[in-house]
Amino acid sequence: MQIVKDIIGFINALSQIDYLLYFAVLVLIILIVSLIYIIRTSEEEEVISANSEIEDLKSIVSDIENREPQIVKLNDYEAEQEEKAIISYEELLAKNNLDIKYEEEKMNNEEISIKKINLDTIMEKPKANKHIGFYSYEREEEFLKSLQALNQLLN
């Protein structure tokens, strides 16, 4: 019974500021504990979500590997462009039939290889003369007259 009297006496001895401070400390303790709980549960969710993402990726990869490749139907223009396409530097050299020899090779940033070309060994092939046909003089005159007539109509 003495303990209860001591507690009641202690509470009666406190002022309003003391009540306020004790209440503020109690609220801070509750906030800190809830914050720690939220942080720990979010870390567990991240681990679970990362594992589920890995499983999703594995299932997607297996689906892609098991899938049969689709046949793409190309029209004439697309087929022609596919044949003319140059995909790599090696294909470009093979298409132009150039015999390129390198003098030395340097590594830049240990990733990019820079090769010095020996220009003496490259022989230029004579290029075929391409004849560019122009309109005849009469057709050019007709075209000029039709442009002038169009200009008159527009003005």
Side-chain angles (χ1 to χ4, degrees):
M1 198 66 165
Q2 182 64 26
I3 295 175
V4 174
K5 288 181 181 178
D6 288 339
I7 292 174
I8 293 173
F10 176 73
I11 291 174
N12 288 336
L14 295 176
S15 65
Q16 289 181 349
I17 294 175
D18 293 333
Y19 287 125
L20 181 66
L21 289 176
Y22 284 125
F23 180 72
V25 169
L26 183 65
V27 168
L28 285 176
I29 290 173
I30 291 172
L31 287 175
I32 290 173
V33 169
S34 62
L35 183 65
I36 291 172
Y37 175 75
I38 290 172
I39 290 173
R40 287 195 179 169
T41 56
S42 67
E43 288 175 357
E44 292 173 2
E45 289 176 3
E46 287 176 5
V47 170
I48 292 170
S49 65
N51 289 336
S52 64
E53 288 177 4
I54 291 173
E55 291 172 2
D56 290 341
L57 288 175
K58 287 180 181 178
S59 66
I60 291 171
V61 168
S62 65
D63 289 344
I64 290 173
E65 289 173 351
N66 296 335
R67 189 174 178 185
E68 293 181 17
Q70 295 179 346
I71 298 173
V72 178
K73 296 179 182 177
L74 300 176
N75 60 25
D76 294 336
Y77 176 76
E78 291 172 338
E80 178 186 346
Q81 293 299 317
E82 187 70 26
E83 290 172 8
K84 288 182 179 179
I86 298 172
I87 300 190
S88 67
Y89 179 69
E90 288 77 22
E91 287 182 22
L92 177 64
L93 293 177
K95 186 172 182 178
N96 291 332
N97 296 325
L98 293 176
D99 184 27
I100 296 180
K101 295 184 180 177
Y102 301 103
E103 289 181 1
E104 62 184 272
E105 182 176 347
K106 294 181 183 178
M107 294 297 286
N108 186 12
N109 297 335
E110 297 183 13
E111 294 178 2
I112 301 171
S113 172
I114 301 172
K115 299 177 182 179
K116 183 177 180 184
I117 297 175
N118 186 356
L119 297 176
D120 296 333
T121 60
I122 297 178
M123 300 177 80
E124 290 189 27
K125 296 181 181 179
K127 296 186 178 184
N129 292 334
K130 294 184 180 179
H131 179 67
I132 301 173
F134 291 103
Y135 289 119
S136 67
Y137 182 72
E138 292 81 22
R139 291 198 59 188
E140 287 181 17
E141 287 292 323
E142 290 174 16
F143 181 68
L144 180 61
K145 287 179 183 177
S146 63
L147 283 177
Q148 288 173 348
L150 178 64
N151 190 16
Q152 289 295 325
L153 289 173
L154 291 175
N155 290 335

